[in-house]
Amino acid sequence: RILEETVLVRMRLSEGARAIDDPEEFSSYASEILVKEGDGPFRAPSPEDLEELELERMFLSSPEDSLRVSMDREDVDTPAGSFTCEKEQITKREEREVSLGGVEAVRVESEKTILWLSSDIPFWGLVRSRIERESSTALKGGSGFRREPRRSVTESVLISFSRSSD
């Protein structure tokens, strides 16, 4: 990791967030969002910051073209405690033709997600997640031109939780 390129986001979600059906809904259940860039302090993000962060991309879609594999159970330590978790990996790869100013090319996007889930955690059971996205574009016809792949990594870690008193 490069500290200057690292952005941390903390979100406090209200109990009603369990009913989220669409990633676009989550902001109405976020009672607090804080952002920290590099080694700076946590601060409230501006509307422009929120738009740039695309927080709705944190929520996984369940496309039929994804491969979901259960992995070995794993013990995970977080600021919220230690948990024995079910571990799952979800991978997806998509290729599509694009036009770059009239030149035909192929865009390749891939995504690998690893989830650590525990039944001890209310809500989604999410203890930790890691989403690695990569996209690249290459000209068709083997011209050799290939744009440097763009990569991003999004990690989520449970900091704390409480059980509601139903």
Side-chain angles (χ1 to χ4, degrees):
R1 292 184 200 167
I2 300 171
L3 182 60
E4 296 80 30
E5 294 179 3
T6 300
V7 177
L8 297 174
V9 179
R10 287 189 177 171
M11 292 190 295
R12 185 181 313 270
L13 301 175
S14 65
E15 187 71 24
R18 292 182 188 193
I20 293 175
D21 288 327
D22 183 329
E24 300 296 326
E25 295 178 57
F26 97 92
S27 62
S28 62
Y29 293 99
S31 58
E32 180 180 41
I33 298 176
L34 297 173
V35 176
K36 177 180 178 178
E37 296 179 59
D39 61 355
F42 276 99
R43 62 176 175 75
S46 69
E48 293 80 20
D49 290 336
L50 290 175
E51 185 175 325
E52 183 177 318
L53 287 170
E54 299 178 297
L55 295 176
E56 62 279 350
R57 288 186 68 192
M58 287 187 331
F59 295 87
L60 300 174
S61 56
S62 297
E64 292 74 38
D65 59 347
S66 293
L67 175 64
R68 192 172 194 134
V69 176
S70 293
M71 302 171 80
D72 291 336
R73 293 174 65 103
E74 188 174 307
D75 291 330
V76 177
D77 293 322
T78 72
S82 296
F83 304 92
T84 299
C85 297
E86 300 293 330
K87 186 175 176 183
E88 295 184 5
Q89 179 174 292
I90 305 164
T91 55
K92 177 183 175 181
R93 179 180 160 90
E94 180 181 317
E95 287 187 27
R96 69 178 186 277
E97 294 183 8
V98 296
S99 178
L100 303 173
V103 177
E104 297 300 313
V106 176
R107 182 160 184 81
V108 178
E109 295 180 347
S110 63
E111 184 174 289
K112 180 173 92 171
T113 302
I114 300 176
L115 302 174
W116 290 265
L117 305 165
S118 172
S119 59
D120 294 335
I121 302 301
F123 201 42
W124 292 310
L126 185 64
V127 173
R128 182 174 169 206
S129 70
R130 179 180 174 91
I131 303 170
E132 299 173 14
R133 292 185 176 99
E134 183 174 295
S135 63
S136 63
T137 305
L139 295 180
K140 289 176 77 174
S143 74
F145 169 79
R146 179 181 280 291
R147 209 169 164 191
E148 187 67 27
R150 289 181 50 204
R151 293 183 177 96
S152 69
V153 175
T154 303
E155 293 183 299
S156 299
V157 177
L158 183 66
I159 295 174
S160 69
F161 73 96
S162 62
R163 298 187 187 279
S164 62
S165 53
D166 293 329

